[in-house]
Amino acid sequence: SSGINAEWPLRPGKGMDNPPHFNIHHYAGVVGYNVGDWLTKNSDPLNDNCLDLFRKSAMPFMAELFADCVPAGPKERKKTFQTMAMMHRKSLNSLMGMLHATYPHFIRCLVPNETKTPGKVQAELILHQLRCNGVLEGIRIVRAGFPNRIAYADFVQRYKILAASAIPAGFIEAKEASQLIITHLELTDDQAKFGNTKVFFRCGILGTLEDLRDEKITQILSAFQALTRGWIARKIYMKLMEQRVGVVVLQRNIRQHFVLRNWPWWKLFTKVKPLLSIARQEDEIREKEEEMKKAMEEAAATAVAKKELEEKYEKLEEERMKIQAELERERQAAIDAEELVFKLEGKQQELEEENNELIDRIEEEEENNFIVAENKRGVEAELIGVQEELAALGERLKNAGGDIQGKEAELKEKNNELTRKDEEIKKLDTKLNDTAKRLGETESMLAAAQEKGQRLDKEKKRVESELGETKVDLDKEKRAKADLDKNLRKKDAECKEVLGQLDDMTRQKTESEDTVRRKESEISGLQAAVEAEQNNVTKCQRQIKDLGQKNKDIEDELDNERNQKQRLEKARNELEAQIAAYEDQIEEAGGANSAATELCRRREEEIAKLRKDKEGAELEAQEQADASKRKFNDVQNQLEDAEDMLRKYKAKAKKEKSTDCDSALIPLL
């Protein structure tokens, strides 16, 4: 004790006049005690009924031990009649009521030093205060248990990301999902426990889970950012590549434009191209007619679908009205159930109040009975004293033998007093009998009240069971109501969707009719254009026929030129043969006469002239053949260009036809 006081001297606080006589080292620190009036301050009074029972005990030792313990009066007894269990229950109920009504926060105020010096810290003093306040012990208790808890649904919602692969797809109970997550995280049974509605963790486990969750979220966000940046970079790269290809295409087209802009055939193509649009008018008319037929079929299908949707909407509307009526019935049933619950709770409260009134009446009758018994005991004690005095006076009268008259008067007075006491005793007996009778009546009333209380308890239990069943039914009704609300919202959404589809169908039908009228007007215009274009086609066919005739004439001329060229080549071959024969004859003659020489000279001149004529004829024939070839090639190229333009025009007409069909079908869709 002295060592502890030397280490931590206990200063008396406010209102402490006496210093402690000894110290006890508790788990939280050193506590000092003063022994003054120790028994009075620490007495635990017994119940008056127990004291009375011990005082009247048949065991002499027990009766002698509690002979001086007289029960207290009714008022004092009523004030002090509280057991430790009652006080503990009352205190616990008050504490639990406060904890349920508030959200507690604890603030610990610590003294840093004994000298009130700023900036000075005494570690041992602070540690001692923490130990005495129970903080360290609370931390030890918390670490020994499972201080952190969280509901299953909240746990799954927050930490499902840590075990996404372990949880199967579809609906699964929150408790089962929590068990799968904890099993995947390899938490032992000592680190986590499963309750009915919550999962419990050791100290620090929840913080570890938060760190793991932050790391997982960081990884996911990093991967998402990487994918996003990669996608953006690829889009930029593809855009640059498309721009590069576009630049190359533009350059090539510009070069081709500079090459073609002065080419005669290109100029001819630009002049002939408008004439080629005539051939596709009939195809366009046929395509427009087909489009009109399709539009009419789609309009008919739209009308049928509209009728079906209207019927479906009517059915859904009837179903919605039925569900709404059923929902109203369920709401009325729920209201009736709530009213029944309120009535049962009010009846239970009235029964509790009657029970409390009966208990108060019983306590009052017990107090009255106790007062009558105390008065009776006092009168009996006085009667015994008077009888003892009367006997003493009689003895004294016998012994004295004198002054008889005075003694007789005194004796008469004592007898009168004794008679008066007897009358008082009779009155008290009568009063006691009345009190006993009232007590019997009270006891019978108490028994009846107890029986009534038992019946009320049974009724209460029955009402509680009915209340529980009513609550279960109410929960079922609420769930059914929620399901009905959900179905009603679903049906409303379907009705709205059907109405929207119906509106879309109506709008599409109107647009289809407008499209049909527009197409009919376009077809009439196209028919007029076709008639005009047919005339142009006839002209073009006539021109093509003239060009074919010219081509045929040129081919005939080309055949004549070829025949003439063959004849000239044959004559040339014959002349060359004659020249060769003449040269042989000249060589054989070898120095003939001048006549022969002159003949040879003339022959040579003739040969030279023939050769010259031959070469001129060959040149002329070659020129004519080349001109014919050029004409033939020109005509052939013109025909090929016309055929190419006709094919391109047909392809363009098909493309425009598909574009018109798409534009006509888009409003219908």
Side-chain angles (χ1 to χ4, degrees):
S1 174
S2 61
I4 294 174
N5 287 331
E7 183 179 0
W8 296 108
L10 296 176
R11 298 176 298 173
K14 294 181 179 180
M16 293 179 62
D17 298 331
N18 299 319
H21 293 97
F22 66 93
N23 295 329
I24 294 179
H25 191 192
H26 291 273
Y27 79 94
V30 180
V31 182
Y33 294 90
N34 190 294
V35 298
D37 296 331
W38 180 270
L39 297 177
T40 303
K41 291 186 294 183
N42 295 281
S43 63
D44 191 6
L46 295 175
N47 189 277
D48 292 340
N49 295 327
C50 294
L51 290 175
D52 192 28
L53 182 63
F54 293 155
R55 188 170 59 84
K56 296 178 181 180
S57 175
M59 298 175 62
F61 175 74
M62 184 68 71
E64 184 181 358
L65 186 63
F66 288 93
D68 297 334
C69 296
V70 180
K75 295 183 179 179
E76 296 177 358
R77 183 174 65 85
K78 189 173 181 181
K79 291 180 180 178
T80 59
F81 184 70
Q82 273 191 334
T83 62
M84 294 299 295
M86 292 174 62
M87 290 189 291
H88 179 70
R89 184 170 64 251
K90 183 177 179 182
S91 176
L92 182 61
N93 291 332
S94 176
L95 177 61
M96 294 306 294
M98 183 178 294
L99 290 176
H100 285 117
T102 59
Y103 191 84
H105 294 276
F106 300 97
I107 299 174
R108 301 291 183 182
C109 298
L110 302 176
V111 179
N113 55 70
E114 292 286 347
T115 59
K116 297 183 180 179
T117 304
K120 182 180 179 181
V121 177
Q122 293 181 357
E124 295 180 355
L125 177 61
I126 294 174
L127 184 62
H128 175 71
Q129 293 177 80
L130 293 174
R131 187 180 293 110
C132 292
N133 287 336
V135 175
L136 299 181
E137 185 67 16
I139 294 172
R140 186 189 66 77
I141 294 171
V142 166
R143 293 184 67 85
F146 295 86
N148 297 325
R149 67 202 66 180
I150 185 171
Y152 286 121
D154 297 336
F155 179 78
V156 172
Q157 183 180 3
R158 186 164 184 82
Y159 300 106
K160 182 179 179 181
I161 191 173
L162 298 177
S165 59
I167 299 176
F171 176 75
I172 185 173
E173 292 292 338
K175 186 174 182 179
E176 186 178 353
S178 302
Q179 292 175 353
L180 292 175
I181 293 171
I182 290 175
T183 303
H184 182 78
L185 295 175
E186 297 180 354
L187 295 179
T188 62
D189 190 55
D190 185 60
Q191 293 175 334
K193 294 286 186 182
F194 296 99
N196 292 328
T197 59
K198 294 182 180 180
V199 58
F200 299 81
F201 297 97
R202 290 280 189 188
C203 186
I205 299 298
L206 208 57
T208 305
L209 293 181
E210 285 291 331
D211 294 338
L212 293 175
R213 181 174 178 272
D214 293 340
E215 292 177 0
K216 189 69 175 179
I217 291 174
T218 302
Q219 293 176 1
I220 293 172
L221 290 178
S222 299
F224 180 73
Q225 289 176 350
L227 291 174
T228 306
R229 290 176 180 142
W231 183 81
I232 293 172
R234 285 190 293 273
K235 291 291 287 184
I236 294 172
Y237 174 75
M238 293 300 295
K239 186 177 180 181
L240 292 175
M241 292 299 295
E242 290 175 357
Q243 290 178 354
R244 181 176 177 274
V245 173
V247 169
V248 173
V249 172
L250 286 174
Q251 291 176 349
R252 185 172 64 248
N253 291 335
I254 291 170
R255 293 192 191 98
Q256 292 296 329
H257 173 69
F258 283 119
V259 172
L260 293 174
R261 64 180 179 179
N262 294 323
W263 190 31
W265 291 107
W266 177 254
K267 294 179 180 179
L268 179 62
F269 172 73
T270 55
K271 292 179 179 179
V272 174
K273 183 179 179 180
L275 302 176
L276 300 177
S277 61
I278 300 169
R280 63 178 183 178
Q281 296 296 327
E282 295 180 356
D283 296 333
E284 287 183 357
I285 291 170
R286 287 192 296 271
E287 291 173 358
K288 296 298 182 182
E289 290 177 352
E290 292 177 358
E291 289 178 2
M292 186 175 68
K293 290 180 181 178
K294 290 180 180 179
M296 294 296 292
E297 292 175 358
E298 290 176 356
T302 304
V304 174
K306 178 182 177 183
K307 187 176 181 181
E308 292 177 355
L309 290 174
E310 288 177 351
E311 294 176 355
K312 186 177 179 181
Y313 173 74
E314 290 176 357
K315 292 180 181 179
L316 290 175
E317 186 67 22
E318 292 177 359
E319 189 175 355
R320 188 181 71 83
M321 295 300 293
K322 291 180 181 178
I323 292 172
Q324 191 170 2
E326 187 177 356
L327 182 61
E328 289 295 332
R329 289 195 298 272
E330 296 295 336
R331 285 176 181 171
Q332 188 63 35
I335 292 170
D336 295 338
E338 289 179 357
E339 291 178 355
L340 179 60
V341 169
F342 291 150
K343 289 179 181 179
L344 292 175
E345 289 179 353
K347 188 174 180 181
Q348 181 182 0
Q349 188 174 1
E350 290 177 359
L351 293 175
E352 289 178 355
E353 290 177 357
E354 289 182 5
N355 193 11
N356 294 329
E357 290 177 358
L358 290 174
I359 291 171
D360 294 336
R361 288 178 61 185
I362 290 168
E363 290 179 355
E364 290 177 0
E365 293 296 335
E366 287 179 353
E367 290 176 2
N368 295 329
N369 191 11
F370 181 78
I371 293 170
V372 171
E374 288 294 327
N375 293 331
K376 182 180 178 182
R377 283 195 293 270
V379 172
E380 288 177 352
E382 289 179 1
L383 181 59
I384 292 168
V386 170
Q387 288 176 356
E388 289 177 355
E389 288 180 0
L390 184 59
L393 287 174
E395 290 295 330
R396 286 174 63 187
L397 182 60
K398 290 178 182 180
N399 293 329
D403 200 6
I404 296 173
Q405 294 178 354
K407 296 299 182 180
E408 287 178 354
E410 187 176 354
L411 183 59
K412 288 180 181 179
E413 185 178 353
K414 293 295 183 181
N415 287 327
N416 293 330
E417 187 176 356
L418 183 61
T419 303
R420 190 172 60 252
K421 293 294 183 181
D422 289 334
E423 291 176 356
E424 291 180 358
I425 288 171
K426 290 179 180 178
K427 291 179 180 179
L428 290 173
D429 288 334
T430 304
K431 191 174 182 180
L432 182 60
N433 292 328
D434 296 336
T435 304
K437 187 176 181 181
R438 288 197 304 272
L439 182 61
E441 293 175 356
T442 305
E443 288 177 353
S444 62
M445 291 174 64
L446 179 61
Q450 289 177 352
E451 292 177 359
K452 188 176 180 181
Q454 292 176 358
R455 290 197 303 272
L456 292 175
D457 289 335
K458 292 180 181 179
E459 184 70 19
K460 179 182 177 182
K461 291 179 181 178
R462 185 180 64 80
V463 170
E464 287 179 351
S465 64
E466 291 179 357
L467 182 61
E469 294 175 357
T470 304
K471 287 183 178 178
V472 172
D473 295 336
L474 183 61
D475 293 336
K476 290 180 181 178
E477 295 296 338
K478 287 182 179 178
R479 288 194 295 271
K481 177 183 175 183
D483 295 336
L484 288 173
D485 289 335
K486 185 177 180 181
N487 292 328
L488 185 60
R489 288 194 296 271
K490 186 176 179 181
K491 296 299 181 182
D492 289 336
E494 291 179 357
C495 289
K496 291 180 181 177
E497 185 177 357
V498 169
L499 287 175
Q501 293 177 0
L502 188 61
D503 294 335
D504 294 337
M505 289 296 180
T506 306
R507 187 173 60 255
Q508 290 176 3
K509 181 181 178 182
T510 306
E511 292 177 355
S512 300
E513 292 175 353
D514 296 336
T515 305
V516 168
R517 287 193 295 271
R518 188 171 62 254
K519 294 298 181 182
E520 288 176 353
S521 61
E522 290 179 359
I523 287 170
S524 60
L526 288 173
Q527 287 176 352
V530 164
E531 292 177 356
E533 293 296 334
Q534 283 178 352
N535 298 325
N536 296 328
V537 168
T538 305
K539 293 178 182 178
C540 290
Q541 288 177 353
R542 190 164 51 253
Q543 290 178 0
I544 290 170
K545 189 181 291 184
D546 295 338
L547 291 173
Q549 186 64 35
K550 288 181 180 179
N551 188 13
K552 187 176 180 180
D553 296 338
I554 291 170
E555 286 179 354
D556 294 337
E557 291 178 0
L558 185 61
D559 292 335
N560 295 328
E561 294 294 334
R562 287 175 182 170
N563 294 328
Q564 188 177 0
K565 181 179 179 181
Q566 289 177 358
R567 288 194 300 273
L568 291 173
E569 288 178 353
K570 186 176 180 180
R572 186 186 66 179
N573 293 330
E574 291 177 355
L575 289 173
E576 287 179 354
Q578 290 178 3
I579 291 169
Y582 289 151
E583 288 178 352
D584 292 337
Q585 290 176 4
I586 290 169
E587 288 178 356
E588 289 176 359
N593 52 19
S594 58
T597 304
E598 185 66 24
L599 181 62
C600 288
R601 184 177 60 77
R602 287 196 300 271
R603 292 290 184 189
E604 287 178 355
E605 290 177 355
E606 290 177 0
I607 289 170
K609 186 177 179 181
L610 290 173
R611 286 180 178 174
K612 187 175 180 181
D613 294 337
K614 175 188 173 184
E615 290 176 356
E618 288 179 354
L619 290 174
E620 186 177 357
Q622 188 68 30
E623 288 178 356
Q624 291 179 357
D626 292 337
S628 299
K629 285 182 180 179
R630 283 197 298 273
K631 290 180 180 179
F632 178 75
N633 291 330
D634 292 340
V635 173
Q636 192 171 5
N637 290 331
Q638 288 179 1
L639 292 174
E640 290 177 356
D641 293 337
E643 290 176 357
D644 292 337
M645 290 179 184
L646 188 60
R647 284 195 298 272
K648 290 180 181 179
Y649 182 77
K650 289 182 178 180
K652 187 176 180 182
K654 290 181 180 179
K655 186 176 180 181
E656 290 179 355
K657 173 187 175 182
S658 62
T659 306
D660 294 336
C661 291
D662 294 337
S663 62
L665 290 175
I666 285 173
L668 298 177
L669 297 176

